[in-house]
Amino acid sequence: MWKTSVSKVEPNHIITRGYRQEDLIGNVPFTHVFFLLVKGRMPDEKEARMIDALITSSIDHGVTPPSTHASRIVASAGVPLPTAVAAGILAVGDVHGGAIEQGAKILQEWVRLMHDNKWSFEQTAQKLLEALKKEGKRMPGFGHRIHTKDPRTKRLFELAAKLKITKDHIKLTLAIEARFAEKKPLPINVDGAIAAIISDMEFDWRLGKAFFLLGRAAGLIAHVYEEMTTQKPMRRMCTQEAEYDGPWEREI
Amino acid sequence: MWKTSVSKVEPNHIITRGYRQEDLIGNVPFTHVFFLLVKGRMPDEKEARMIDALITSSIDHGVTPPSTHASRIVASAGVPLPTAVAAGILAVGDVHGGAIEQGAKILQEWVRLMHDNKWSFEQTAQKLLEALKKEGKRMPGFGHRIHTKDPRTKRLFELAAKLKITKDHIKLTLAIEARFAEKKPLPINVDGAIAAIISDMEFDWRLGKAFFLLGRAAGLIAHVYEEMTTQKPMRRMCTQEAEYDGPWEREI
Amino acid sequence: MWKTSVSKVEPNHIITRGYRQEDLIGNVPFTHVFFLLVKGRMPDEKEARMIDALITSSIDHGVTPPSTHASRIVASAGVPLPTAVAAGILAVGDVHGGAIEQGAKILQEWVRLMHDNKWSFEQTAQKLLEALKKEGKRMPGFGHRIHTKDPRTKRLFELAAKLKITKDHIKLTLAIEARFAEKKPLPINVDGAIAAIISDMEFDWRLGKAFFLLGRAAGLIAHVYEEMTTQKPMRRMCTQEAEYDGPWEREI
Amino acid sequence: MWKTSVSKVEPNHIITRGYRQEDLIGNVPFTHVFFLLVKGRMPDEKEARMIDALITSSIDHGVTPPSTHASRIVASAGVPLPTAVAAGILAVGDVHGGAIEQGAKILQEWVRLMHDNKWSFEQTAQKLLEALKKEGKRMPGFGHRIHTKDPRTKRLFELAAKLKITKDHIKLTLAIEARFAEKKPLPINVDGAIAAIISDMEFDWRLGKAFFLLGRAAGLIAHVYEEMTTQKPMRRMCTQEAEYDGPWEREI
């Protein structure tokens, strides 16, 4: 007999984390129920507003991200909507949404070190970046191919401040950004912002991709539906400029 | 040049269905943004409450549904969280969540016929069931393996009534249920309820699985996370009582 | 207790369709074992050569098909190899590989009708195309965006003839091609060829996508591996010329 | 312009790794073409027989492995065959097939160390196991839940010996097994055997899961097809003995 603490189903009776599902439906907003599902307790009012904002900040970023692109391509091949959406979710990987997970892991580790050693934020930021550099790694969640100032980061951090959610992980993230700015500005992107905020909300870094995935699912549904209803099947969605550089034609 | 009306991304500027993403984040609840994403306009207050309830009603139904089961099994094989969640979403199929799509399609077709022919709800329910019977089909969205009275259906229909969303598709669904009750009760399940409500909300039936998928994604994340953090890899999750009935052992 | 006739596993003893797996390994070529797996019996020598050829004919078609494109995009997001390959397999849909399934279904149905009614191939081809036209459908497996004469079709049909596998389904396919040629040539593509051949080999049309999927898996692995080892993560793989035509910027 | 050396497609002309696809079809067995696809050159006769055996050894292991189980569950939800097969492929993870990748990586690293330091196989096996132990890790590819002597391992190693493919990676694997046997026998399982053989064949360890995936795809197709054609949709496939240990019922 194995244990689960997520839910229990009996005839005419469905319990989710201790609550009757009929009590949740229409009374507790969906994203708050998501908080309940992963945390095991209801969010307070501030947490509730913050988690909704986090998920909304991941909904969509146009047609070019791997997740959206994969979903539209698979949709164009004539498959059910969930199959196409799932293809996009498969693209939530170490370099697409993964900065949330990796960033949160690093932040959580270094805030612990900071407390243990009574370092300042500036000291910690400096040591953290040196340590990463030594390993030949970069701090995830900074810089963006398109945005020099990610509008989602600004909005999320303002909200976190207003809701008094800002604690040491956000502060350390800002200290890292300040450190970068001394040489060459490398602004916090939306992944970096989410990594910091979920860490200040005491979420396990292993859930990092989950917030992104859930928000993005909404956008993927919209893209897949648009593809299915307005575009020709198997259309040429984009121009791949690939050149063959394999062996010259030969006999078997 | 192909067209999309979902979103537009420029440096430091992200537009979703006409709104700046930073305006949506934290101001418009996620499920209302989902309505915006698929409908192209903001929900009014009643639609907003209803869509949130619909999505919440799909979050979870214990460990046995194909979606949850598939996600946990794939998670137990040692893969990233999004890969395991996507496996569960692949299981949103014609017999798992599919009753929403098929049910909505039938309801939308027969409400049109009802109006065209000025039939009563009772007449329409009767004709609809006879037509399905002739094709050897059953009305999707009725009956449940576990629940004789699905608590989610009751809650969703009460809410639809309270929000004055109830229109002809819900009424026809109730007429069908009444018709069944004359012989042998076959109650409306949660899929049937969602099918009726999204039809009264004027959603395309082809989006039927999307509501279920989005809600279920939240539950799948919780199950995958629990599996990853509390269970042994590749554990024996369940007892398959399969018996080999193929050819007897033989030589090549 | 449910039944399976695929395999049976006991300590130190693995039976597949009646054969000990250690007897199959290295003695019976993989594609012949695949025939065994889906048919339940060993192929004869001709069937064996034919099925291997069918699967090989699906391995790859450059970087542009939805399957390959989806796999490479998902690979570029930083996920395990199987996750990226699976994303490509999800793209094996009704309009990408699906012509095998649909074509085989139609051919099998009309060869039955031909026999029942003692029609000639020419008559059957004519009636079939008229029937499809009436339904507003096209015959799957004919025409190709790139090839006017698909080299794989030629090779597969030559092999089928040489192996004396050619029977009524291939003949009907050729009669359909001849019928098209009277107006405007629409050559049999590789899907149409596979549909005809598997039908002459007495495969269930519901397995149509399986041959394509298995062959394509090999090509997807090669593309995913190349992407992982030679390209930058999240690179811009292609140019999407999408234009936003949604609502003008507005306030919430 | 980016480069690919896999294939090139022009009107009526398809080149795979330098060969015309019509030359490969029916002339070069599929698994040899797979070797060509991932290695970029044709296998010699011995390599050709070996790679076919490796892939065949992964086809199937009954209904209980995560890959097969996931495929059947997803199939039972009413989805297209490729969607269900892909769900199984998603389950090829770090603890299901992953021992090939991890085992090959370790073997390749330690054979290099062995050569550099002129250690004997026995010394290398000892040092390797000590190093893993220090890191709290176990050697992947040893031991099996069901088999005390995996019949596939025996067969694959015999074939490797016969084909003179056996080199230092297989020898080191045997030395590790001997080392285990001194205390408590922990036999090489099929993953361990494949890891050793592909290493002796000079395959990149990052391809480890690919051999397993390709072989298993054949078995998954057979299971999905059997599920679709012989079982009821959404049947109860197995008994999950899960007990809810979450919070007691409570009010929102």
Side-chain angles (χ1 to χ4, degrees):
Chain A
M1 194 71 98
W2 57 278
K3 313 282 185 179
T4 176
S5 60
V6 178
S7 51
K8 179 184 174 179
V9 176
E10 295 172 331
N12 307 332
H13 195 208
I14 307 167
I15 297 296
T16 302
R17 298 282 191 200
Y19 298 98
R20 288 176 290 278
Q21 230 176 75
E22 66 260 40
D23 290 350
L24 298 174
I25 297 168
N27 287 322
V28 182
F30 172 65
T31 47
H32 308 186
V33 174
F34 174 65
F35 184 105
L36 168 68
L37 275 163
V38 291
K39 272 279 200 188
R41 65 165 175 86
M42 283 288 181
D44 65 29
E45 209 177 307
K46 289 168 180 176
E47 290 168 326
R49 277 203 65 196
M50 195 72 237
I51 197 166
D52 191 277
L54 288 173
I55 293 170
T56 301
S57 73
S58 300
I59 47 165
D60 187 55
H61 198 259
V63 297
T64 55
S67 51
T68 314
H69 199 156
S71 271
R72 290 196 83 125
I73 283 173
V74 171
S76 85
V79 300
L81 180 141
T83 295
V85 172
I89 288 173
L90 292 178
V92 178
D94 284 346
V95 293
H96 182 38
I100 304 173
E101 187 177 305
Q102 299 146 22
K105 189 183 180 195
I106 293 171
L107 289 173
Q108 292 177 19
E109 187 189 329
W110 284 85
V111 163
R112 258 194 310 275
L113 285 172
M114 180 175 77
H115 291 168
D116 290 352
N117 293 286
K118 300 185 195 295
W119 295 329
S120 68
F121 287 104
E122 290 68 27
Q123 284 174 311
T124 314
Q126 185 183 340
K127 286 171 196 291
L128 181 162
L129 289 176
E130 282 168 5
L132 283 176
K133 203 177 180 181
K134 225 181 252 176
E135 296 179 69
K137 290 182 184 162
R138 296 173 51 193
M139 180 65 197
F142 286 78
H144 199 285
R145 293 193 288 186
I146 298 177
H147 309 302
T148 53
K149 192 127 198 73
D150 195 318
R152 299 165 294 184
T153 298
K154 186 167 176 279
R155 172 68 186 135
L156 288 174
F157 276 179
E158 280 172 3
L159 198 61
K162 190 178 142 196
L163 297 169
K164 300 197 195 317
I165 276 171
T166 306
K167 294 199 198 72
D168 290 355
H169 299 89
I170 295 179
K171 287 179 192 164
L172 177 56
T173 302
L174 292 168
I176 295 168
E177 193 184 39
R179 182 94 199 150
F180 279 133
E182 288 170 18
K183 294 188 184 170
K184 195 190 143 203
L186 196 63
I188 303 163
N189 62 34
V190 68
D191 289 350
I194 299 176
I197 295 170
I198 62 169
S199 298
D200 271 347
M201 291 175 81
E202 295 179 8
F203 276 106
D204 187 341
W205 59 267
R206 289 172 294 184
L207 276 166
K209 286 170 182 157
F211 301 91
F212 179 71
L213 179 168
L214 187 59
R216 185 53 53 100
L220 296 177
I221 289 167
H223 282 285
V224 166
Y225 180 65
E226 188 184 68
E227 185 70 29
M228 290 168 68
T229 53
T230 68
Q231 299 287 347
K232 284 195 188 158
M234 252 191 109
R235 68 185 174 103
R236 182 169 181 164
M237 200 174 295
C238 66
T239 311
Q240 287 206 48
E241 304 196 345
E243 193 186 9
Y244 178 68
D245 69 345
W248 202 246
E249 204 162 332
R250 51 187 172 175
E251 307 301 317
I252 57 168
Chain B
M1 192 73 95
W2 58 278
K3 314 282 185 180
T4 177
S5 61
V6 179
S7 51
K8 178 184 174 180
V9 176
E10 295 173 330
N12 306 332
H13 195 210
I14 307 167
I15 297 296
T16 303
R17 298 284 192 196
Y19 298 97
R20 287 175 291 277
Q21 229 175 74
E22 67 259 41
D23 289 351
L24 299 173
I25 297 169
N27 288 321
V28 182
F30 171 65
T31 49
H32 308 186
V33 175
F34 174 65
F35 185 106
L36 168 68
L37 275 163
V38 290
K39 272 279 201 189
R41 67 164 174 85
M42 282 289 179
D44 65 28
E45 210 177 308
K46 289 167 180 179
E47 291 169 324
R49 277 203 66 196
M50 196 71 237
I51 196 166
D52 190 277
L54 288 172
I55 293 170
T56 301
S57 74
S58 299
I59 47 165
D60 187 56
H61 198 259
V63 297
T64 56
S67 51
T68 314
H69 200 154
S71 271
R72 290 195 82 125
I73 283 173
V74 172
S76 86
V79 301
L81 181 142
T83 295
V85 172
I89 288 173
L90 293 178
V92 178
D94 283 346
V95 293
H96 182 39
I100 304 173
E101 186 177 305
Q102 300 146 21
K105 188 183 180 194
I106 294 171
L107 289 173
Q108 292 177 18
E109 187 189 330
W110 284 85
V111 163
R112 258 194 309 275
L113 287 171
M114 181 176 76
H115 291 170
D116 290 351
N117 293 286
K118 300 187 195 294
W119 294 330
S120 69
F121 287 104
E122 289 68 29
Q123 285 174 312
T124 314
Q126 186 183 337
K127 287 172 194 290
L128 181 161
L129 290 175
E130 283 168 5
L132 283 177
K133 203 177 179 181
K134 223 180 254 174
E135 297 179 69
K137 289 181 184 164
R138 297 173 52 193
M139 181 64 197
F142 286 78
H144 199 283
R145 295 193 287 185
I146 298 177
H147 309 302
T148 54
K149 192 126 196 76
D150 194 319
R152 298 165 293 183
T153 298
K154 187 166 174 279
R155 172 68 187 135
L156 288 174
F157 275 180
E158 280 172 4
L159 198 61
K162 191 179 140 193
L163 296 170
K164 301 194 194 319
I165 276 171
T166 306
K167 295 199 197 70
D168 289 355
H169 300 89
I170 294 179
K171 286 177 192 165
L172 177 56
T173 302
L174 293 168
I176 295 168
E177 192 184 40
R179 183 94 198 150
F180 280 132
E182 289 169 18
K183 296 188 184 172
K184 195 191 142 203
L186 196 64
I188 303 163
N189 62 35
V190 69
D191 289 350
I194 299 176
I197 295 169
I198 62 168
S199 297
D200 272 347
M201 292 175 80
E202 297 181 5
F203 277 106
D204 188 341
W205 59 268
R206 289 173 292 185
L207 276 166
K209 287 170 183 157
F211 302 90
F212 179 70
L213 180 168
L214 187 58
R216 185 52 54 99
L220 296 177
I221 289 167
H223 281 285
V224 167
Y225 179 65
E226 189 184 67
E227 185 71 29
M228 289 167 67
T229 53
T230 69
Q231 299 287 346
K232 282 194 191 160
M234 252 193 110
R235 69 186 174 104
R236 186 170 179 162
M237 200 173 295
C238 66
T239 312
Q240 287 207 48
E241 304 197 345
E243 192 186 10
Y244 178 69
D245 71 344
W248 202 245
E249 202 162 331
R250 51 186 172 176
E251 307 301 316
I252 56 169
Chain C
M1 194 73 98
W2 58 277
K3 314 281 185 182
T4 177
S5 61
V6 178
S7 52
K8 177 183 173 180
V9 176
E10 294 172 331
N12 307 330
H13 196 210
I14 307 168
I15 297 296
T16 302
R17 297 283 192 199
Y19 298 99
R20 286 176 291 277
Q21 230 176 73
E22 65 262 40
D23 290 351
L24 299 173
I25 295 169
N27 288 321
V28 182
F30 171 65
T31 49
H32 309 186
V33 175
F34 175 64
F35 185 106
L36 169 68
L37 275 164
V38 290
K39 271 280 199 190
R41 66 165 175 86
M42 282 288 180
D44 66 27
E45 210 177 307
K46 289 167 181 179
E47 290 169 325
R49 276 203 65 197
M50 195 72 237
I51 196 166
D52 190 277
L54 289 173
I55 293 169
T56 301
S57 73
S58 300
I59 46 164
D60 188 55
H61 198 261
V63 296
T64 56
S67 52
T68 314
H69 199 154
S71 272
R72 290 195 82 125
I73 283 173
V74 171
S76 86
V79 301
L81 181 140
T83 295
V85 172
I89 289 173
L90 293 179
V92 178
D94 284 345
V95 293
H96 182 38
I100 304 173
E101 185 178 306
Q102 299 146 21
K105 188 183 180 195
I106 293 171
L107 290 172
Q108 293 177 19
E109 186 188 330
W110 284 84
V111 164
R112 259 195 308 275
L113 286 171
M114 181 176 76
H115 292 170
D116 290 352
N117 294 286
K118 300 187 195 294
W119 295 329
S120 68
F121 287 105
E122 289 68 29
Q123 285 174 311
T124 314
Q126 185 183 340
K127 287 173 195 290
L128 181 161
L129 290 175
E130 283 168 5
L132 283 176
K133 202 177 180 182
K134 224 180 255 173
E135 296 180 69
K137 290 182 183 163
R138 298 172 51 192
M139 181 64 197
F142 286 78
H144 199 283
R145 293 193 288 185
I146 298 176
H147 310 301
T148 53
K149 193 128 196 72
D150 195 320
R152 298 164 294 182
T153 298
K154 187 166 175 281
R155 172 70 186 134
L156 288 174
F157 275 179
E158 279 173 5
L159 197 63
K162 192 179 140 195
L163 296 169
K164 299 197 195 318
I165 276 170
T166 305
K167 295 199 199 72
D168 290 355
H169 299 90
I170 294 179
K171 286 178 192 165
L172 177 55
T173 303
L174 292 167
I176 295 168
E177 192 183 40
R179 183 93 199 151
F180 280 132
E182 289 169 19
K183 296 188 184 169
K184 194 193 142 201
L186 196 63
I188 303 163
N189 62 34
V190 69
D191 289 349
I194 299 175
I197 296 169
I198 63 169
S199 297
D200 272 348
M201 292 176 80
E202 296 180 7
F203 277 105
D204 188 341
W205 59 267
R206 288 173 295 185
L207 276 166
K209 287 171 184 156
F211 302 90
F212 178 71
L213 179 168
L214 187 58
R216 185 53 54 98
L220 295 177
I221 289 167
H223 282 286
V224 166
Y225 179 65
E226 188 183 68
E227 185 71 29
M228 288 167 68
T229 53
T230 69
Q231 300 286 348
K232 282 195 190 159
M234 252 190 111
R235 69 186 174 104
R236 185 169 180 163
M237 199 174 294
C238 65
T239 312
Q240 288 207 48
E241 304 196 344
E243 192 185 10
Y244 177 69
D245 71 345
W248 202 246
E249 202 162 332
R250 52 187 171 175
E251 308 301 317
I252 56 168
Chain D
M1 194 73 97
W2 58 277
K3 314 282 185 181
T4 176
S5 60
V6 178
S7 52
K8 177 183 173 180
V9 177
E10 295 172 331
N12 307 331
H13 195 210
I14 307 168
I15 297 296
T16 303
R17 298 283 191 197
Y19 297 98
R20 286 175 291 277
Q21 229 175 74
E22 66 261 40
D23 289 350
L24 299 173
I25 296 169
N27 288 321
V28 182
F30 171 65
T31 49
H32 308 187
V33 175
F34 174 65
F35 184 106
L36 169 68
L37 274 164
V38 290
K39 271 279 201 190
R41 66 165 175 85
M42 282 287 181
D44 65 29
E45 212 177 306
K46 290 168 179 177
E47 289 169 324
R49 278 203 65 197
M50 196 70 238
I51 196 165
D52 191 278
L54 289 173
I55 293 169
T56 302
S57 72
S58 300
I59 47 165
D60 188 54
H61 198 260
V63 297
T64 55
S67 51
T68 315
H69 200 154
S71 271
R72 289 195 84 124
I73 284 174
V74 171
S76 86
V79 301
L81 181 140
T83 295
V85 172
I89 289 173
L90 293 179
V92 178
D94 284 345
V95 293
H96 183 37
I100 304 173
E101 185 177 307
Q102 299 146 21
K105 188 182 180 196
I106 293 171
L107 289 173
Q108 292 177 18
E109 187 189 329
W110 283 86
V111 164
R112 258 194 309 276
L113 286 170
M114 181 176 76
H115 291 170
D116 291 352
N117 293 287
K118 301 186 194 294
W119 294 330
S120 68
F121 287 103
E122 290 68 29
Q123 285 175 311
T124 314
Q126 186 184 339
K127 287 173 194 291
L128 182 161
L129 290 176
E130 283 169 5
L132 283 177
K133 202 175 179 183
K134 223 180 256 174
E135 296 180 69
K137 291 182 183 163
R138 298 174 50 193
M139 180 65 197
F142 286 78
H144 198 283
R145 293 193 288 184
I146 298 177
H147 310 302
T148 54
K149 192 128 196 73
D150 194 319
R152 299 165 294 183
T153 297
K154 187 167 174 280
R155 173 68 186 134
L156 288 174
F157 274 0
E158 279 172 5
L159 198 63
K162 192 179 140 194
L163 296 169
K164 300 197 195 316
I165 275 170
T166 305
K167 296 201 196 71
D168 290 355
H169 300 89
I170 295 179
K171 286 178 194 167
L172 177 57
T173 303
L174 293 168
I176 295 168
E177 193 184 39
R179 182 95 199 149
F180 279 132
E182 288 169 19
K183 296 188 185 170
K184 195 192 142 204
L186 196 64
I188 304 164
N189 62 34
V190 69
D191 289 349
I194 299 175
I197 295 169
I198 61 168
S199 297
D200 272 348
M201 293 176 80
E202 296 180 7
F203 276 105
D204 187 341
W205 59 267
R206 287 172 295 184
L207 276 166
K209 287 170 183 156
F211 301 91
F212 179 72
L213 179 168
L214 187 59
R216 185 53 54 100
L220 296 178
I221 289 167
H223 282 285
V224 166
Y225 180 64
E226 188 183 67
E227 184 71 30
M228 288 167 67
T229 53
T230 69
Q231 300 286 346
K232 283 195 191 159
M234 251 192 110
R235 69 185 173 104
R236 184 169 180 165
M237 200 173 295
C238 66
T239 311
Q240 288 206 46
E241 304 196 346
E243 192 185 11
Y244 178 69
D245 70 344
W248 203 246
E249 203 162 331
R250 51 186 172 175
E251 307 300 317
I252 56 169

